[in-house]
Amino acid sequence: MSDTLVVNEIYLSLQGESTFAGLPCVFVRLTACNLRCSYCDTAYAFAEDRKQSVSEVLEEVNRLAKPFERARNGSRPAHEGSNKLPLVELTGGEPLLQKGSIPLMKDLCDGGYTVLLETSGAHDISPVDPRVRRIMDLKCPSSGEAARNRWENLRCLKSTDEIKFVIGTVEDYGWARQKIAERRLEAVCPLLFSWVHPLAAAQQDKSLKKVPAGQTPISRQELAEKIIADALPVRFQVQLHKVIWPPEQRGV
């Protein structure tokens, strides 16, 4: 197992998505991704990097978490199952492209952190430490990468994991609704519907896939109203960090 990671950035902010939204979180953004989703807002992580050992990443996480030491050693955070703040999330890029992400997540769990993994769903999630909360995408048609979904991963999911659908078009909504019904996904784990926030000019990387022709964009309000009308068992979410800070701002 590799002891070296290719890291894009490590920073402390608020968790902007998932059922943990709003909680302090240290983000470890790893470099590289083999997908090029049409709505990707972190294309800078495709190549920008620095090499760090697992121990160096742990040291940086612990440094950023130090102001929370009293909470770690004393009272328990309100979120069930947590025994330490801040949370730690591995994101990217695609963390599972790097073998070193596996021992890093284990070491973070051993250190008492609640660890989240943001993954595209295109890679095998079974080697991930079972204590990690895996937030796994199922890529919808407008991503341009729906053919890359690894459906075998559904068998590995636990009730503490989460499935995220990123919805940018009416067709995405219909596809996600169908998959939930066909596979009874509401019985597996929490389901997230995340609206596609339009990319700022600086985020529109030329390597990203185009939205397939003939699809109809869906607004944030339309998505929310469809969820209500269809009584879907999902959590509507916006990217909280894009509400607080400029959508293109990094390190938040």
Side-chain angles (χ1 to χ4, degrees):
M1 198 67 74
S2 175
D3 187 50
T4 303
L5 291 161
V6 185
V7 178
N8 178 266
E9 57 184 349
I10 303 175
Y11 60 93
L12 174 66
S13 187
L14 295 180
Q15 176 57 238
E17 302 182 75
S18 79
T19 61
F20 293 86
L23 289 174
C25 183
V26 175
F27 293 87
V28 179
R29 187 181 303 284
L30 300 183
T31 299
C33 186
N34 61 325
L35 304 188
R36 290 295 182 269
C37 298
S38 62
Y39 46 72
C40 181
D41 57 2
T42 53
Y44 59 86
F46 293 163
E48 294 180 20
D49 66 78
R50 64 182 187 274
K51 289 186 177 180
Q52 292 184 268
S53 66
V54 169
S55 60
E56 287 172 332
V57 174
L58 286 169
E59 183 178 353
E60 178 67 4
V61 170
N62 288 333
R63 183 187 69 81
L64 291 171
K66 190 169 180 59
F68 296 82
E69 196 166 52
R70 184 169 63 178
R72 295 203 305 270
N73 295 331
S75 62
R76 232 175 134 75
H79 196 95
E80 183 182 354
S82 298
N83 52 16
K84 172 184 286 199
L85 281 178
L87 310 166
V88 180
E89 177 175 293
L90 267 68
T91 185
E94 169 52 62
L96 293 182
L97 280 176
Q98 300 193 38
K99 293 181 179 179
S101 67
I102 301 299
L104 173 60
M105 287 186 279
K106 179 184 183 302
D107 288 348
L108 288 166
C109 290
D110 288 346
Y113 290 104
T114 297
V115 181
L116 315 179
L117 168 67
E118 279 273 0
T119 182
S120 67
H123 300 274
D124 183 7
I125 65 171
S126 63
V128 176
D129 191 293
R131 294 170 292 179
V132 172
R133 311 296 184 99
R134 297 169 295 190
I135 303 166
M136 190 191 81
D137 279 18
L138 283 178
K139 298 298 185 185
C140 297
S142 79
S143 70
E145 297 285 16
R148 306 296 289 276
N149 286 318
R150 182 185 170 92
W151 295 102
E152 303 95 311
N153 280 334
L154 293 179
R155 297 196 298 266
C156 303
L157 292 171
K158 312 181 304 297
S159 62
T160 53
D161 296 321
E162 303 180 13
I163 297 172
K164 181 172 71 172
F165 297 88
V166 180
I167 309 289
T169 64
V170 172
E171 289 74 20
D172 285 347
Y173 178 84
W175 184 90
R177 183 180 59 185
Q178 180 182 13
K179 297 306 178 187
I180 291 169
E182 286 177 353
R183 298 174 181 267
R184 299 191 62 234
L185 296 179
E186 74 281 2
V188 176
C189 63
L191 306 176
L192 311 171
F193 271 26
S194 185
W195 179 70
V196 173
H197 196 289
L199 296 179
Q203 297 174 307
Q204 294 172 359
D205 191 88
K206 292 180 180 179
S207 70
L208 301 183
K209 297 287 181 68
K210 301 296 183 184
V211 175
Q215 297 203 18
T216 304
I218 191 169
S219 72
R220 184 166 45 194
Q221 179 176 329
E222 287 170 333
L223 175 55
E225 290 174 349
K226 281 182 175 291
I227 291 170
I228 294 167
D230 291 340
L232 287 190
V234 304
R235 179 187 295 260
F236 174 81
Q237 65 170 20
V238 294
Q239 293 174 293
L240 186 59
H241 46 289
K242 292 183 179 179
V243 176
I244 302 170
W245 294 282
E248 68 276 13
Q249 186 166 327
R250 292 167 57 166
V252 296

